[in-house]
Amino acid sequence: MTAAFDHAPARLPAGAPARFRHLIAAEWIKLRSLRSTSWVLGAGALAVIGINVNSAASNADRLARQQLPAEPPPGVQARPELLFDPLHTAFVDPAWQLLMVIAATVGGITVFGEYTSGLIRTTFTAVPDRQAVIAAKVTVVSAVMLALGTLVSGASFGVTQVLLREYGGLSLGDPGALRAVIAAALLAPLCALVGMAVGAVVRHAAGSVVAVIALLLLVPALFQGERYRWVREIGNAMPLSAWERLVMNPERARGLGAYPLTITDAWIVYGAWATAATAIAVLVVRRRDV
C-alpha cells in the first residue's frame, strides 16, 4: 500500500489556485474525452487528403493518355505540365472547405458543449478566472488543429506532387509552394478559433454549426462581385478568400480582377480573424452569465 501511494500523482492542496499548465491539462482531457472528436478529425483528414490525391491521380491519368501533337499550333503550349496547375491539385477547394467546417465545428464544441451539458458551471466554480479558462481552451484547440492542419497539408502536397512528378510536380522550393503548405496548415486552427467565438456567442449546437458554416463559406460567396468595390473588399476580408490567394500558384496569379487581394493582405486577414475570434470568445465568456 505504501509503495502504491509513493507513486501516486501529486495533487493540488485544497484551495490552491490552479496554474495555467493545470488548465491546459484539464482542457486536453476534455477534448480527448469527446469520443466523436478523434473519429471526426481522423475521417476528415483522410477525406481531405483523399480528395486531393484523387484530383492528382485523375490529372496524371489524363495527361498520360493525352496525345500531344509533335508541332502544336501557334499559341498552344506543348508542355503537358502547363495544361493544368499542379499546385491546385493539392489544394482543391471542396476538400479544404470540408476541413474548414470540421475544424470550426470541433472548435465550437469545446465551448458550447460545456454550456449545453452544464459542465461550464463546474469549470468556473473550480476556476473562477474565466479568461484563463478560455486562454487554455484556445491554446489546446489551436495546438491540436495546427498539428492536424500540418499533417493534412503536408500529406496532400507531398502525395499529389509525387503522383505528378512526370507532369510538372512541384517541390517545396518552387515559387509559392511552401507558402501554400503553411497557409493550408494554418487554416485549421484559424477556423477552429472562429468556431470557438461563434460557439461562445450562440451557445447552441445546431445554431453554432449553421452560423459558422454561413460565416466561413456562404458570406464569401455573396461578396464576389466587382461592380462595387466595397462588396469585393468584404469578400477579400474573409478567411476563405485569403486562403485561396495564399495557395494560388504565382504563375496563375494574373488577371485577379479589379480589386485583387495581395499576399500581404491575405496574411493580415489570417491574423485579424484569429485575433478577433479569440478576443470575442474571451469577452463573451467573461461578461455573460453561465
Side-chain angles (χ1 to χ4, degrees), residues 22-274:
H22 300 141
L23 300 181
I24 293 289
E27 294 302 328
W28 167 243
I29 292 173
K30 291 178 187 177
L31 182 62
R32 187 181 59 185
S33 64
L34 294 173
R35 296 180 180 179
S36 60
T37 301
S38 58
W39 288 100
V40 169
L41 295 181
L46 291 176
V48 173
I49 297 172
I51 293 173
N52 293 318
V53 170
N54 180 68
S55 173
S58 298
N59 277 295
D61 183 66
R62 176 176 63 86
L63 292 171
R65 296 173 179 231
Q66 190 173 33
Q67 297 296 327
L68 294 175
E71 296 182 0
V76 177
Q77 298 287 357
R79 293 169 56 196
E81 62 267 25
L82 296 181
L83 298 177
F84 77 108
D85 183 0
L87 186 59
H88 179 70
T89 60
F91 305 103
V92 180
D93 287 352
W96 292 90
Q97 289 175 9
L98 174 62
L99 182 68
M100 292 175 70
V101 172
I102 292 174
T105 301
V106 172
I109 288 175
T110 62
V111 179
F112 69 69
E114 288 200 55
Y115 281 97
T116 56
S117 66
L119 179 62
I120 196 68
R121 296 185 179 87
T122 303
T123 299
F124 290 153
T125 299
V127 185
D129 188 352
R130 298 186 178 190
Q131 183 172 335
V133 172
I134 295 300
K137 287 182 181 293
V138 167
T139 302
V140 171
V141 171
S142 297
V144 171
M145 290 303 169
L146 179 58
L148 176 71
T150 301
L151 173 64
V152 175
S153 180
S156 293
F157 180 82
V159 176
T160 56
Q161 301 315 304
V162 167
L163 291 174
L164 297 170
R165 61 185 177 276
E166 297 180 1
Y167 307 102
L170 306 175
S171 67
L172 288 177
D174 288 308
L178 181 59
R179 181 189 69 211
V181 172
I182 294 174
L186 292 175
L187 186 65
L190 170 61
C191 293
L193 292 176
V194 174
M196 292 182 68
V198 173
V201 173
V202 179
R203 298 188 180 185
H204 185 272
S208 297
V209 173
V210 171
V212 79
I213 292 175
L215 180 61
L216 292 176
L217 300 183
L218 299 184
V219 172
L222 295 175
F223 292 92
Q224 293 298 315
E226 296 181 354
R227 182 174 182 181
Y228 302 104
R229 179 166 185 169
W230 65 270
V231 173
R232 186 61 177 177
E233 293 292 355
I234 293 176
N236 287 341
M238 303 303 296
L240 179 60
S241 300
W243 171 80
E244 290 175 342
R245 181 66 183 89
L246 291 170
V247 300
M248 182 179 296
N249 193 323
E251 295 183 0
R252 309 278 174 164
R254 299 184 180 90
L256 293 177
Y259 312 108
L261 183 66
T262 67
I263 297 299
T264 301
D265 292 339
W267 285 122
I268 292 175
V269 170
Y270 261 46
W273 273 83

